[in-house]
Amino acid sequence: MDGVDYAWARPDPQGLYNLGYRFVCRYLSWLPNGKVIDAAERDRLLAAGLDIALNWEFAAGDQRGGASAGTAQATEAVRQAKALGYPAGAAIYFSADWDVSSAEWAGPVSAYQRAARQVCNAGGYRFGVYGGVDVIKWSFDAGIAEDGWQTYAWSGGRWDARATLRQIQ
């Protein structure tokens, strides 16, 4: 099944469906913020037959903020997801939108993810990670990620089979 990810644009939902897309990945972030999905957009997407996946990203390096950032951002992500009626048990993805180094993983990134997962799970959601192959692998290997959205960027043509979404070039 093919999907599309967009932040600031607002393509026509029926047009996306007619092109063969069956889901969209949309953003949650600190408000006010023009890239964040709202209830009206949600309604248009669902009416066109498109499923929705939600992803938190304020800045590319959000996960460099460690556990305190993970707790704060996941708390807001869960609040927004619930306000949108996002179904319990669905994944909320959190972006690691850069080539995460092993040192960053061992420090703030894994701490961010552990804290964010705790908040997501307490709110009834699965914890998902967006990023390149290494951060996806490390997140699953550490037992943190419950879902993965892997990007072509920073993956060097390698794919982790545990990632359920693949963002291709």
Side-chain angles (χ1 to χ4, degrees):
M1 176 175 11
D2 289 336
V4 64
D5 161 38
Y6 59 90
W8 303 98
R10 293 298 185 275
D12 173 54
Q14 193 60 56
L16 292 174
Y17 189 89
N18 293 344
L19 288 171
Y21 296 110
R22 295 300 177 258
F23 70 94
V24 299
C25 296
R26 292 295 293 117
Y27 287 86
L28 305 171
S29 190
W30 297 116
L31 299 172
N33 190 322
K35 74 178 180 180
V36 173
I37 186 173
D38 61 19
E41 181 184 1
R42 174 209 58 209
D43 292 346
R44 290 189 303 275
L45 292 167
L46 294 174
L50 296 164
D51 288 329
I52 301 166
L54 295 178
N55 181 65
W56 174 274
E57 183 178 74
F58 179 69
D62 283 343
Q63 294 189 26
R64 288 181 172 128
S68 62
T71 297
Q73 292 174 2
T75 298
E76 180 62 10
V78 167
R79 186 194 70 74
Q80 289 179 28
K82 286 183 179 290
L84 287 167
Y86 196 54
I92 300 175
Y93 297 89
F94 290 79
S95 289
D97 209 355
W98 80 99
D99 192 10
V100 178
S101 71
S102 58
E104 290 172 314
W105 165 255
V109 174
S110 62
Y112 176 103
Q113 290 186 9
R114 289 181 198 287
R117 177 181 170 163
Q118 185 174 21
V119 172
C120 284
N121 289 170
Y125 296 104
R126 294 168 47 83
F127 176 74
V129 176
Y130 167 88
V133 67
D134 290 334
V135 75
I136 295 293
K137 179 185 181 326
W138 296 329
S139 300
F140 276 113
D141 288 352
I144 302 170
E146 296 173 290
D147 210 332
W149 173 14
Q150 186 180 334
T151 179
Y152 178 85
W154 315 299
S155 292
R158 298 173 295 139
W159 293 100
D160 191 305
R162 297 169 288 184
T164 55
L165 296 177
R166 288 186 176 181
Q167 186 179 47
I168 58 174
Q169 188 178 26

